[in-house]
Amino acid sequence: MTTHPPEFQRWAAVQQNLIESQLQSLLPAADIVPQRLHEAMRYAVLGGGKRVRPLLAFAAGEVTAAAPSRVVIVGAAVELIHAYSLVHDDLPCMDDDVLRRGKPTCHVEFDEATALLVGDALQSLAFQLLAEHRLADDAVVQLEMVKLLAAASGSRGMAGGQAIDLAATGKTLTLPELEFMHIHKTGAIIRAATLLGAHCGRALDKKELARLDHFAKCIGLAFQVVDDVLDTEASTATLGKTAGKDAEQNKATYVTVLGVAQSKKLAAELRADALAAVEPFGARALRLRELADFIVLRKF
Ligand code: GRG
């Protein structure tokens, strides 16, 4: 995060450590039966990744003065869903990748059946966390939070986006089709992370919630646009995953549809749109603004 304000870098490091130690203690120990599955779950989740989604939860939690002890749980739950999606996405029946977060992918390090179960078990654990911990004063709000994550992960969210992505391989997509796919595949969990973080604190009114949701929608899309640009411009070593994979697999991306220059312009526009949406929150949205910059200006 070298190009970002030192104060933001310190804040992000503190939250990343918080989330790391929470995940460490929430994941079953590797010596508990079934050891191999637990070892593989810990391998897939711990010690890697930017933790962007938990950071968004923390930043949104600052808007509503949420207790960090609550936000860390929703951050962990969202990160578990994200980790499961990466493990399944890397399987031979999907993207068939061998490198993730600078390490061999889960099915390469363990085996395919174990990787499948890792994803299943991580998803279950995420919902167990949301059910087990007190996350909102009002139980109805907490139930809404469970529903929110379920909808974002399911067939009308991330899993649906992945299905559209698989079906689109080798096809030419229009810009609206590409956007629809990514709003689901990548955007849904990013939006859920942001809204869940906010729900841990004081209630927002409808307008405020819509502002936050618009911010998250723009940032979710910007994340994907930047991801597509990095796939063509960055190296495998920098990314910690195989670069150039989109072109190799003949995937429709923002770069294939718009070209690099227009994709960068789109990311900048989405960033500006996101920043405008949270402007009325003033100082409470400082971390959200900084994260928008981090997501759009990142180099990995
Ligand atoms: C298998 C149900 C299912 C869904 C998979 C999210 C996803 C859907 C697949 C991941 C493949 C991919 C490259 C998506 C594009 C953007 C993205 C989510 C990149 C990975 O997220 P980062 O950059 O990764 O936040 P780290 O490792 O930093 O957590």
Side-chain angles (χ1 to χ4, degrees):
M1 297 189 190
T2 43
T3 56
H4 305 283
E7 215 269 310
F8 168 71
Q9 292 185 46
R10 271 194 297 276
W11 173 84
V14 169
Q15 317 309 314
Q16 282 161 336
N17 286 338
L18 266 179
I19 206 76
E20 197 66 28
S21 52
Q22 191 72 47
L23 289 166
Q24 282 269 6
S25 61
L26 288 170
L27 283 160
D31 59 357
I32 293 174
V33 180
Q35 290 97 334
R36 189 172 163 80
L37 177 59
H38 291 150
E39 192 193 333
M41 287 166 74
R42 298 181 74 86
Y43 177 87
V45 175
L46 299 174
K50 298 177 285 297
R51 311 299 192 205
V52 164
R53 294 151 193 83
L55 287 176
L56 278 165
F58 278 114
E62 296 212 348
V63 174
T64 62
S69 57
R70 287 180 177 181
V71 182
V72 77
I73 299 296
V74 303
V78 168
E79 190 65 20
L80 292 176
I81 296 282
H82 171 58
Y84 123 66
S85 79
L86 299 180
V87 170
H88 280 190
D89 184 64
D90 289 333
L91 283 168
C93 61
M94 296 212 190
D95 256 14
D96 192 9
D97 218 326
V98 295
L99 188 70
R100 172 71 65 184
R101 294 175 166 174
K103 305 189 291 193
T105 45
C106 192
H107 67 275
V108 169
E109 185 70 15
F110 293 85
D111 55 77
E112 275 182 47
T114 303
L116 197 68
L117 290 171
V118 162
D120 297 340
L122 292 178
Q123 174 158 219
S124 299
L125 184 57
F127 286 101
Q128 191 181 333
L129 293 186
L130 294 193
E132 235 170 37
H133 295 259
R134 167 65 76 178
L135 302 172
D137 295 336
D138 184 343
V140 175
V141 172
Q142 180 144 354
L143 209 52
E144 281 299 319
M145 292 166 75
V146 178
K147 204 170 110 185
L148 204 153
L149 188 61
S153 315
S155 65
R156 304 188 66 185
M158 179 183 73
Q162 178 78 346
I164 296 169
D165 188 357
L166 292 173
T169 304
K171 297 200 174 124
T172 313
L173 295 187
T174 62
L175 194 57
E177 284 170 340
L178 194 64
E179 185 174 303
F180 183 86
M181 177 172 91
H182 289 309
I183 280 176
H184 292 81
K185 183 179 130 179
T186 315
I189 295 298
I190 288 182
R191 279 168 93 172
T194 310
L195 294 177
L196 286 173
H199 283 317
C200 290
R202 74 159 181 86
L204 292 176
D205 66 31
K206 250 185 158 180
K207 263 191 177 166
E208 289 175 318
L209 211 51
R211 288 189 168 285
L212 194 63
D213 192 35
H214 189 68
F215 168 90
K217 184 181 165 195
C218 293
I219 281 309
L221 261 187
F223 186 95
Q224 186 61 52
V225 178
V226 172
D227 208 72
D228 288 353
V229 171
L230 288 174
D231 189 70
T232 64
E233 288 197 335
S235 69
T236 296
T238 310
L239 295 178
K241 60 180 181 180
T242 315
K245 195 81 199 210
D246 295 334
E248 184 197 306
Q249 293 188 328
N250 203 10
K251 287 221 162 167
T253 68
Y254 281 97
V255 172
T256 59
V257 175
L258 289 177
V260 169
Q262 284 302 315
S263 296
K264 287 183 176 173
K265 191 165 165 265
L266 175 61
E269 284 165 6
L270 287 165
R271 169 179 170 263
D273 203 357
L275 294 181
V278 293
E279 220 257 329
F281 293 128
R284 289 184 293 152
L286 170 69
R287 300 306 180 197
L288 283 177
R289 286 196 288 274
E290 290 172 335
L291 267 174
D293 285 348
F294 171 65
I295 285 167
V296 174
L297 305 174
R298 74 197 160 96
K299 298 278 175 258
F300 59 96

